[in-house]
Amino acid sequence: MKLGWYMQRLRAMSMAEICRRVAERLGRAFEVAHLRRISRQPWDGAFNDVPKLPGREHVPPELGKQLASDAAKLMRGEWDLFGWKSIETGAPPCWHRDATLGVVVDPAIPARKIDHRRLEHDADARAIWEVNRWSEMTRMAMHSALNGDVHAIHVSQLWLEDWCDRNPAGYGINWTSPLEAAIRLINFCWFDALVRGCNDPELARRQDALTARIVPVHSWWVWHRRSFGSSANNHLIGELASLVLALARWPSLASMICPLQQVVKLLGHEILQQFASDGGNREQALHYHLFAWEMCWLAGAAAGGFEKEVQHRLHLAAQYFVDVGEAPECWDFGDSDDAQVLPLPLSRSKAAAEFRGWFLGRAEGSVLRFWLGEPPKGVKASIHGKWLAHLESGQAVWRDACWTVRADASPLGLGSMAAHGHLDALHVSLWFEQCALIVDPGTGAYYSNPALRARLASWEAHNGPVPVAGRTCPRRSGAFLWADHHDRPYLEVSGDICLMSLACAAHVTRRAVHASQDQVQICDDVGSASAHVVTWCLAPGWRIERQHGLGFVCHHAGSASVFVTVSGDAIEHCEIIECQVSPHFRELATSQALKITFRGALATIWRKPG
């Protein structure tokens, strides 16, 4: 299997990329020596006032209380992993343990000898990395800065000193991903600014020593190990963004990396490459859209802004997120690991809704406005009762007071790997009275349960029509590698109707979505081909029951009932089944689904009561 993965991975690369990767692999033999040399060099710790932090006079009242509560839990070693899973990490945490499984990865192993994709006992590197992103230390520093609790910053410094002691540069799982080092660097920039803002001489002295241990080696390593070629996705954006922040705060880093404006230019190029001209992120994963956008926005603020075209693209990307996202029950499409850059929102579990509120200038975005200032200008709410299409990105959305409909006619993903894509072309997500009703199944896990991840990413887990015999392409060849991409689906909006089609394996499947105030009608046409299946997966909290014949009703405790009617040329089976969905990364829930087997044409109508 490992050999097969390498063969498929090579197919995704150009010859130039292969040569560069061979050179990089050879160079890793000397990496630890380089990092030791960097750590021993004299450090000019002179810093600029970047990032610019807000004053205490405008703190939203709810923020101080929430920060105090969060800091108290964190100092007891009680963390909410991925924003939802309560775990005991220890204080300080065990930095090399998958806290969800209790598996510890030996920290003495040179990082170049660790395959983070295949850890023992099914440990998931992403669960280990989550604890090592330092956002919790930033959260405690925010509490100290706003509530005057110097002890929390002192504890955070002790934890970071412990991290440095137990994670020597070049050893262990935490030196296997440049993106992870980049996120640590972004958090440390903010942490350093928060500490200095306390004007405490003892804290500043300890911070000087920490900065000398952390910033040079992290910056050098991220720069020299930054992603490239077929791997240049949101990882590269994060790596470059972290370097922009670090160079803007500590200008002397330029002597070991390069001038700040050169990195700003590289990041601007990636923004134009990875965000389409309609604002959508080409990764085709909505959570990573916001993740990458936030890193770009933080870097732009630190650098004093980007060139006009780049800045405009980020404004379009903010508008796209408002158009395509939904709150409070988001249910993103594509791969998602609930990643967080900085712990800025009031509540991590509601971060997407807070960002959406900030973009729109609403009250739910007040905490983000405190930290980040004014949002991008010109972002507006969607027009109710009309389809809004992002044709290049392949997403169309219809909203009114009752329904939100999101139709997906997107390409598989970014570049030759399409690392975070799902087989979701022609999928339709549906919200009723802001309650998620028909959902994308989610991601599940990255490395710890590959079978689950493959199932949730499959054609069958989404509700576009799929042949009963299944489809053989595209096929997943690795954790973040797809082979044999499908053709770009077709998307058109005509009046109240959204038209989509997918050509795959010499067969064309068509879907039309007609939305109105009273109902949403979804019509599928698979021609004279063999039997197809449509599986309407409901969000957890809904239950469905048959009324009569091909009529059903969906019940939800927090919403009115929704009626479902099915009709078609030749419906062979119509049954209620159980299915698995993943509301958050590493969370699995059981829900119900309506599974329909048919030939020719099928119409499914979702209708509100009355």
Side-chain angles (χ1 to χ4, degrees), residues 387 398 403-407 426 428-430 437-438 463 496-500 510-525 534 536 562-568 601-608:
W387 281 101
W398 192 95
W403 302 98
T404 297
V405 189
R406 185 171 68 206
L426 305 195
V428 172
S429 296
L430 189 61
L437 173 59
I438 303 299
N463 58 42
D496 292 334
I497 300 176
C498 173
L499 302 170
M500 302 183 288
R510 296 178 176 85
R511 169 166 278 185
V513 186
H514 180 219
S516 66
Q517 183 178 359
D518 297 321
Q519 66 182 31
V520 177
Q521 180 174 325
I522 304 172
C523 299
D524 297 313
D525 183 358
V534 166
W536 301 107
V562 174
F563 296 94
V564 188
T565 305
V566 178
S567 62
L602 171 72
T604 309
I605 299 176
W606 304 84
R607 180 171 49 84
K608 70 178 185 180

Side-chain angles (χ1 to χ4, degrees), residues 308-361:
K308 186 175 180 181
E309 183 183 8
V310 176
Q311 203 73 23
H312 180 62
R313 189 67 57 89
L314 288 178
H315 282 234
L316 290 174
Q319 181 67 62
Y320 176 91
F321 184 79
V322 167
D323 292 343
V324 175
E326 184 58 32
E329 298 184 6
C330 302
W331 287 93
D332 302 334
F333 53 82
D335 259 14
S336 169
D337 66 0
D338 295 297
Q340 175 181 244
V341 185
L342 287 170
L344 302 178
L346 181 66
S347 168
R348 181 173 176 180
S349 63
K350 299 177 181 178
E354 289 189 46
F355 266 99
R356 200 165 183 270
W358 177 60
F359 288 143
L360 292 172

Side-chain angles (χ1 to χ4, degrees), residues 28-320:
R28 289 186 193 178
F30 308 99
E31 191 169 76
V32 171
H34 284 305
L35 289 167
R36 285 176 180 165
R37 176 177 55 81
I38 295 294
S39 66
R40 292 168 183 164
Q41 289 180 352
W43 163 248
D44 175 7
F47 58 88
N48 292 326
D49 188 18
V50 176
K52 190 76 172 178
L53 298 179
R56 297 185 186 182
E57 60 272 16
H58 302 299
V59 180
E62 67 274 21
L63 177 58
K65 294 178 182 179
Q66 187 63 53
L67 288 173
S69 174
D70 292 347
K73 286 181 59 178
L74 291 169
M75 285 189 284
R76 293 194 302 265
E78 301 172 11
W79 292 31
D80 289 333
L81 202 67
F82 307 118
W84 70 272
K85 186 174 180 61
S86 297
I87 60 168
E88 296 286 341
T89 63
C94 177
W95 304 109
H96 308 95
R97 181 167 68 100
D98 179 344
T100 64
L101 300 175
V103 178
V104 177
V105 178
D106 187 352
I109 302 174
R112 62 189 176 88
K113 295 184 178 180
I114 297 176
D115 185 352
H116 65 267
R117 302 174 189 86
R118 300 175 182 86
L119 300 177
E120 292 184 352
H121 308 296
D122 294 326
D124 194 328
R126 182 63 186 82
I128 300 173
W129 291 336
E130 176 73 8
V131 177
N132 290 271
R133 290 185 164 185
W134 299 351
S135 58
E136 281 71 18
M137 275 66 87
T138 305
R139 191 77 170 173
M140 289 196 290
M142 290 173 171
H143 158 64
S144 294
L146 299 188
N147 293 326
D149 181 3
V150 175
H151 175 66
I153 277 187
H154 178 65
V155 170
S156 299
Q157 288 180 323
L158 289 174
W159 287 11
L160 289 173
E161 289 168 357
D162 183 74
W163 191 95
C164 293
D165 292 341
R166 298 179 186 278
N167 292 271
Y171 287 88
I173 186 69
N174 293 315
W175 286 98
T176 56
S177 168
L179 175 62
E180 298 305 314
I183 296 175
R184 291 197 292 269
L185 194 54
I186 291 173
N187 273 280
F188 192 78
C189 287
W190 275 65
F191 182 84
D192 192 65
L194 289 161
V195 173
R196 309 287 182 183
C198 291
N199 297 315
D200 185 298
E202 176 59 22
L203 291 179
R205 184 190 64 79
R206 296 187 75 113
Q207 193 65 17
D208 289 342
L210 265 177
T211 305
R213 296 183 73 179
I214 288 171
V215 173
V217 291
H218 273 73
S219 300
W220 183 90
W221 193 71
V222 169
W223 174 248
H224 286 273
R225 285 286 307 278
R226 65 191 185 278
S227 305
F228 60 91
S230 55
S231 296
N233 54 12
N234 69 80
H235 286 220
L236 181 56
I237 278 181
E239 291 148 13
L240 294 174
S242 74
L243 293 171
V244 170
L245 266 79
L247 284 162
R249 183 160 182 83
W250 297 284
S252 63
L253 289 172
S255 62
M256 71 172 66
I257 301 174
C258 69
L260 170 61
Q261 287 307 312
Q262 183 177 334
V263 184
V264 172
K265 186 175 181 179
L266 290 172
L267 178 56
H269 173 78
E270 284 306 313
I271 291 170
L272 297 178
Q273 290 294 308
Q274 296 191 38
F275 287 92
S277 60
D278 61 4
N281 187 279
R282 292 191 170 103
E283 293 250 52
Q284 296 299 338
L286 187 56
H287 185 87
Y288 279 121
H289 178 106
L290 181 60
F291 180 68
W293 186 92
E294 181 187 344
M295 293 187 289
C296 296
W297 193 256
L298 293 169
F306 294 105
E307 293 181 356
K308 186 175 180 181
E309 183 183 8
V310 176
Q311 203 73 23
H312 180 62
R313 189 67 57 89
L314 288 178
H315 282 234
L316 290 174
Q319 181 67 62
Y320 176 91

Side-chain angles (χ1 to χ4, degrees), residues 409-468:
S410 60
L412 183 58
L414 176 67
S416 58
M417 294 175 64
H420 292 286
H422 279 185
L423 300 179
D424 51 12
L426 305 195
H427 180 91
V428 172
S429 296
L430 189 61
W431 287 260
F432 179 67
E433 295 182 345
Q434 291 193 303
C435 289
L437 173 59
I438 303 299
V439 296
D440 185 288
T443 300
Y446 279 163
Y447 304 111
S448 63
N449 194 336
L452 170 67
R453 186 179 182 213
R455 186 164 68 251
L456 294 179
S458 68
W459 290 115
E460 290 77 9
H462 296 86
N463 58 42
V466 185
V468 170

Side-chain angles (χ1 to χ4, degrees), residues 531-532 567-573 596-602:
H532 279 60
S567 62
D569 295 341
I571 297 176
E572 298 182 356
H573 301 285
I596 307 165
T597 306
F598 72 102
R599 296 174 186 268
L602 171 72

